[in-house]
Structure formats: structure tokens, C-alpha cells
């Protein structure tokens, strides 16, 4: 599998300003040294709680934020330095679907205009061709032509999310960033949308970067999972391995926190105490040590090294360091 | 569980007056909650579950009209005018978004003190604060004195939800209505709040009506689960019975939609179609146009809710014939 996106040691610090002259008094370390890659037609999930920095990574990829340091390579070129044709190509190749479709769709545009906006920018089509193109896209996401004239407020949550997906795939992108695509939807609709996304991936050979705090939806759709906490990777593994042998205590607690009516007897519940600490002043050494049920002295003193477990499975935890 | 009914809802129907007509949001809903029991109302958006909760709390919006029914709480009908004002101490409600519940201009300490002052008739400032801090400790908030002096924006979502629960419980209510209290939270915090509510239930003998769209959450907290669809009650059973032996095609569909963490499936099942239009509810069974096992009778006759086995009621024609 060739690599589509490579993220090397990405950092994004947001300055905290205070006082009359806006003196910088500190930094929110939203993303603090993250390295991973997404392969061609691969689905990679970023999993973590609020404040873990998962959405900031997405924003850096979408060029909505400029990374503080580190590089993002797409098809071999560095996107933060891309200009001209490369830049236009990049914008076209990477699209996003966000959590709340009613916030990401313009309430004053109808469905046809919403979907055709990016198409008009990047392709030269006559009005009739454009209409046909948009109808075809709608069909691909499971809506019929009667929706073309509708406005976002006339749609249900699931329908609106389908429109947002149609817009995202309208330019044949290579990578689609899905930022909590089903969190705002009901369970029965969530299943419909997940199936649609899986189907589109096969049909259009897409890669996804799925961002979610809910590990249960990850299993259906993703090939590889990265668990992040306070801007750092805790564990990375192929999806099945994350579910079968989670190594990091944080991954284990995330897994058992998902309310699953069918797994009640299968697993022991671990409830995390306390809230995630502030990323302004994250805990020293291992960032998880303040909430970790297995904390040891060394966890408070030294940052855990990267430990490889078989192929493609890595974690950062002192528990797994052999003495 | 004591077999003493604390709340009985009988034949409740509620309409919302909207531009150009009315939405029949809740139709002929009846159920009962026993003392010290947690009952979950489960349904998708538009199923009427929150409307039922609001009606019990007496907090329906102005455009809602109660068409029929009675809500009997501790022997008194809440819908009668003279009991309306007295019940406030005994039923409290917690909503989904704690940040929207609390006034951003007041410190949370002032909010809870206000509630304690009005409802418990305590006048001394010291005693009020003492009671407030005690409530904060009860919901396991760290550093209660700091929380007391904080504004809502200074606290995280999980902490705010604990504050709201503390406020709700400060009047020593007999019953708590929790309307999707964990939906806005991360899974780890959700697990914490569920754990807290269960321990409070044990400690205080609280009865609870827990409203959620998530059957997984329901199975963790409920003694009994009631499934609503399109404003109607379609199935009711003990928690484990409902999870292991769902009868109604809608409930079965809902169960299959839940992504499971311990088994891998290549494809998720889903229920085709969308929720019904409540301005003109279907004539027969409300679920008939999305049901995969629909029969002719379903489109004409509305199935009544009937006891299928002990502690398990369902409203579906599939189970009517078997019994007769």
C-alpha cells in the first residue's frame, strides 16, 4: 500500500495571550509531536476524548490551521509550502465531512447549489451537465432528484449528512476527513451513514481519516486505529488488534467505556476517575499517569519509549517495557 | 425493588401546535414507575420521549396541549391545577446540555444556593453554603469550594453535568427525570455519570426516568426499558429481557444497528426509511411503512399494547395471533 499522506512530528501550539499588549503567557499544546501515515484507499481512525487534539490534526490537514512545526506530505509534496497548481490539486484531493450537517451546509442555498459550488470552482461544465452531475452525486448518496430544490432546514439529520457527503465526494477526492460524522445522528441513521461511507469507499477508492471518540463505530469501517490523548499517540494498531489486545491502559478504558448491551458479561468495566487534564500544562512524563489505573513511579518521571509489538502495533507505555 | 408505584402515566396524549396544524407528538402513552426503580424511555428523535419527560416535570413549552390523560405522582394527578405548584420539590429534571441549563452570568454556587433557599426554606447563609458543598461532595466533585466559586465556563462538560445533578438533588426529590444526560459527553465521562447516577439511586432510593436514544446506555442503567416510536409506546420489558429477547421489529432493528465492540461484522444492519410524519400519523401500525415483516392487517388496524409474557408487553400484530 503506497502512502498517500505522511505526517511527521506534527506540532500545533495555540498561544494564550493576556494583558493589554497581548503578551504570550503560555501555549495550549493541542498536538504535540504526532507521526503517522494514511495509505491509498485505507481508513485510519483517530480516537480520543475532547481536547485530545484529534480535530486540530484534521484542521492542519485541511490547511485551516498552520502547524507550529513538523511536516505534512501529500503524494510526496509538502502541503504547507504548496503553491499554484499543487495547491489547487491538494484542495481538490482532500475534502471533509463534519459532525453537524446543519452547521456545515449554508441555510440559504438549496441542495443543488450546495453540491455544485465546489464543482463550479474546479470543473468547467455547462449548466445542463452540472445539473446531471449533481443528480448523479445525489443518487450515489441515496437521495433522489426531488431533493435538488430543497433547503437544509427541510432535511432530516441523516439526509443533510448525505448531502454533506455528496459535496465532499463531488470532486473525486483522494482523502476524505470524517470528523465525528455520525455523532449527531440517531442509531438507526448512524448505521445507514456508516454503510454508505463504506460503500462509497469501495466504489471511489477513497481513503478516510475518521475522527471519533466512539470506538464502537471504528470497528466497522477502519483498517487502522490511532488512540491519542492530550496531543500524543498512546497506541497504534490494526483495528482488530486494538479490539482484541489493547495494550495501553487508556485504550482499555476507552474500550470498556462504550455502553454495549451485548458485551455486559464479557468484560470487566474500568471507569476512569477524573477529567482529562488541561493541554495548557499537560502532566510531565507519561501524560496519562494522572488517571492511569496501573501507574508506577517511573511513569511520573520519564516519558515512555515507543514499543513495537509485532507488525504495525506500537504503544507508549512503561507497563510493556521489559526489565 | 418495592412494588409500590410512585408514578403512573395513563393514556397521555400531547399535541404541539405548529404553523398550519398540530403535531401529535405523544399518543395514548401509559406506563408506571415503581419506587426506587430506574425506567428508561428509549427512542429516536421525534419519538416523543422528551415530551413525556417534560410533561411529567410540568415543563412543557407553551405550544403544547395535553389532549388526554392523567399523570399520577404519589397519589395526586399532576395535571390538575391545584397540585401543579406543589410537586416541584419532588420531581426534578436534568437536561442534555448542562452548559445551556446554567446561567453563564452566575457562579454555580449562587445557582445552587438559590435553589436551596427557595425550596428548603433555609435562611442562614452559612447553612445554605454548607448544604451546597455537601451536595457537591455527594456527586463526587473534586474540590467543592473551588467549584462553588466558579462560573459555568470555567468547568468542563462532565463537571457541569455533576453540578446540575447536585442542583436537582438538593431539594431531596423523590424522582429524577434525566433527559439524555450523557449524550453530550465523551464515552469515558458518560461511564462516570452513569456510575454516579446508579450509586445515587442506591444511596437515596431515588426513582428515575432516564430518557435516551442509546440502547447501550439504557441497558447499563435501567431496571425496565420502554421503547417509543413515533409518539407511541411499542414495547416494554425488563432490561435484560428486552436486550436478550426483543420482540417488536423496530426494537430488533434498533438492536442490530448498534455497533458492537466484541464481534466484527462486515456490514451494519440498518432500518430503511425515516421517522414518520407526526402531523398525519399512519392509520394502522405507526411502524408499518418501515417494517420488514409488515402484513396487510398492520396497515389498517393499530395493534394495541398487550402482555406477551410476564413483564414483557409489545404492540405488534406478529404477536397477537400467537396468543389467541
Amino acid at each position: 500500500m503506497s502512502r498517500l499522506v505522511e505526517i511527521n512530528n506534527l506540532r500545533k501550539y495555540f498561544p494564550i495571550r493576556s494583558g493589554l499588549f497581548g503578551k504570550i503567557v503560555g501555549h495550549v499544546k493541542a498536538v504535540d509531536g504526532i507521526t503517522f501515515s494514511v495509505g491509498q484507499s485505507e481508513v485510519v481512525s483517530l480516537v480520543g476524548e475532547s481536547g485530545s487534539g484529534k480535530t486540530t490534526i484534521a484542521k492542519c490537514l485541511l490547511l485551516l490551521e498552520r502547524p507550529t512545526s513538523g511536516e505534512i506530505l501529500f503524494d510526496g509534496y509538502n502541503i504547507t509550502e504548496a503553491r499554484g497548481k499543487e495547491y489547487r490539486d491538494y484542495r481538490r484531493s482532500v475534502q471533509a465531512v463534519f459532525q453537524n450537517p446543519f452547521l456545515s451546509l449554508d441555510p440559504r442555498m438549496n441542495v443543488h447549489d450546495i453540491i455544485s459550488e465546489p464543482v463550479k470552482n474546479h470543473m468547467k461544465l455547462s449548466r445542463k451537465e452540472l445539473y446531471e452531475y449533481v443528480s448523479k452525486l445525489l443518487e450515489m448518496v441515496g437521495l433522489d432528484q426531488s431533493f435538488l430544490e430543497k433547503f437544509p432546514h427541510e432535511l432530516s439529520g441523516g439526509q443533510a449528512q448525505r448531502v454533506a457527503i455528496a459535496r465532499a465526494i463531488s470532486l473525486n477526492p483522494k482523502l476524505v476527513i470524517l470528523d465525528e460524522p455520525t455523532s449527531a445522528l440517531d442509531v438507526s441513521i448512524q448505521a445507514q451513514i456508516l454503510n454508505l461511507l463504506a460503500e462509497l469507499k469501495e466504489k471511489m477508492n477513497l481513503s478516510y481519516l475518521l475522527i471519533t471518540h466512539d470506538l464502537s463505530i471504528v470497528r466497522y469501517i477502519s483498517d487502522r486505529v490511532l488512540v491519542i490523548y492530550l496531543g500524543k499517540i498512546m497506541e497504534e494498531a490494526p483495528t482488530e488488534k486494538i479490539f482484541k489486545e489493547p495494550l495501553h491502559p487508556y485504550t482499555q478504558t476507552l474500550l470498556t467505556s462504550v455502553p454495549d448491551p451485548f458485551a455486559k458479561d464479557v468484560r470487566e468495566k474500568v471507569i476512569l476517575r477524573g477529567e482529562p487534564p488541561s493541554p495548557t500544562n499537560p502532566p510531565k512524563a507519561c501524560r496519562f499517569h494522572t488517571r492511569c489505573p496501573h501507574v508506577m513511579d517511573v511513569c511520573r518521571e520519564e516519558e515512555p519509549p515507543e514499543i513495537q509489538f509485532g507488525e504495525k502495533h506500537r504503544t507508549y507505555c512503561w507497563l510493556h517495557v521489559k526489565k | 425493588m418495592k412494588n409500590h408505584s410512585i408514578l403512573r402515566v395513563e393514556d397521555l396524549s400531547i399535541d404541539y401546535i405548529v404553523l398550519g396544524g398540530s403535531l401529535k407528538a405523544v399518543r395514548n402513552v401509559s406506563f408506571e414507575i415503581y419506587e426506587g426503580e430506574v425506567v428508561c424511555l428509549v427512542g429516536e428523535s421525534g419519538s416523543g420521549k422528551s415530551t413525556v419527560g417534560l410533561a411529567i416535570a410540568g415543563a412543557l413549552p407553551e405550544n403544547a396541549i395535553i389532549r388526554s390523560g392523567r399523570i399520577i405522582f404519589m397519589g395526586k394527578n399532576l395535571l390538575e391545577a391545584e397540585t401543579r405548584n406543589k410537586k416541584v420539590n419532588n420531581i426534578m429534571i436534568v437536561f442534555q446540555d448542562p452548559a445551556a441549563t446554567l446561567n453563564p452570568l452566575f457562579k454555580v454556587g449562587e445557582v445552587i444556593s438559590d435553589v436551596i433557599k427557595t425550596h428548603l426554606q433555609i435562611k442562614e447563609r452559612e447553612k445554605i453554603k454548607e448544604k451546597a458543598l455537601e451536595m457537591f461532595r455527594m456527586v463526587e466533585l473534586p474540590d467543592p469550594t473551588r467549584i462553588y466559586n466558579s462560573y459555568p465556563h470555567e468547568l468542563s462538560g462532565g463537571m457541569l453535568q455533576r453540578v446540575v445533578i447536585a442542583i436537582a438533588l438538593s431539594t431531596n426529590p423523590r424522582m429524577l427525570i434525566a433527559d439524555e444526560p450523557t449524550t453530550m459527553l465523551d464515552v469515558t465521562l458518560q461511564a462516570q455519570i452513569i456510575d454516579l447516577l446508579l450509586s445515587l439511586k442506591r444511596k437515596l432510593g431515588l426513582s428515575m426516568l432516564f430518557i435516551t436514544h442509546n440502547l447501550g446506555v439504557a441497558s447499563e442503567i435501567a431496571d425496565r426499558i420502554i421503547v417509543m416510536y413515533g409518539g407511541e409506546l411499542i414495547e416494554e420489558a425488563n432490561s435484560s429481557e428486552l436486550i436478550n429477547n426483543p420482540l417488536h421489529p423496530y426494537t430488533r432493528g434498533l438492536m442490530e444497528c448498534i455497533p458492537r465492540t466484541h464481534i466484527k461484522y462486515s456490514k451494519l444492519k440498518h432500518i430503511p426509511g425515516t421517522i414518520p410524519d407526526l402531523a398525519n400519523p399512519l392509520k394502522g401500525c405507526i411502524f408499518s411503512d418501515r417494517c420488514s415483516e409488515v402484513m396487510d392487517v398492520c396497515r389498517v388496524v393499530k395493534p394495541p399494547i398487550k402482555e406477551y409474557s410476564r413483564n414483557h408487553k409489545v404492540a405488534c400484530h406478529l404477536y397477537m395471533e400467537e396468543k389467541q
Side-chain angles (χ1 to χ4, degrees), chain A residues 130-147:
Chain A
L130 186 66
Y131 186 86
E132 276 162 14
Y133 190 78
V134 172
S135 312
K136 206 184 95 208
L137 282 168
L138 266 188
E139 201 181 296
M140 285 177 76
V141 297
L143 298 174
D144 58 48
Q145 291 210 2
S146 65
F147 284 93

Side-chain angles (χ1 to χ4, degrees), chain B residues 106-120:
Chain B
F106 290 98
K107 291 177 181 168
V108 298
E110 296 174 51
V111 182
I112 189 168
S113 300
D114 226 26
V115 175
I116 293 170
K117 198 160 88 189
T118 338
H119 288 286
L120 299 184

Side-chain angles (χ1 to χ4, degrees), chain A residues 49 186 188 219 264 269 275, chain B residues 44-45 156 188 220 261:
Chain A
E49 291 173 277
D186 281 316
S188 71
R219 194 158 198 182
K264 255 188 153 175
K269 193 149 194 155
E275 317 254 331
Chain B
E44 292 177 88
S45 344
S156 71
T188 49
E220 304 237 321
T261 46

Side-chain angles (χ1 to χ4, degrees), chain B residues 282-297:
Chain B
L282 292 174
K283 231 174 113 197
C285 170
I286 183 82
F287 188 57
S288 57
D289 64 336
R290 287 175 85 186
C291 185
S292 54
E293 292 158 68
V294 64
M295 303 174 289
D296 292 340
V297 58

Side-chain angles (χ1 to χ4, degrees), chain B residues 167-236:
Chain B
I167 295 173
L169 296 180
S170 63
T171 65
N172 306 321
R174 296 292 300 277
M175 189 169 153
L176 186 70
I177 298 171
D179 190 353
E180 306 250 16
T182 62
T183 310
M184 303 271 286
L185 305 174
D186 281 324
V187 274
T188 49
L189 296 177
Q190 168 166 291
Q192 283 182 18
I193 295 287
I194 289 175
D195 195 46
L196 171 72
L197 287 172
L198 280 175
S199 84
L200 288 173
K201 174 207 149 192
R202 278 193 298 271
K203 240 185 269 171
L204 308 173
L206 207 62
S207 313
M208 222 184 299
L209 179 66
F210 193 98
I211 299 168
T212 178
H213 69 272
N214 187 332
L215 262 172
V217 172
S219 75
E220 304 237 321
I221 196 166
D223 297 314
R224 203 144 45 84
I225 298 177
I226 297 175
V227 184
M228 283 188 76
Y229 180 77
E232 286 170 20
L233 211 152
I234 57 161
E235 188 162 0
E236 173 183 344

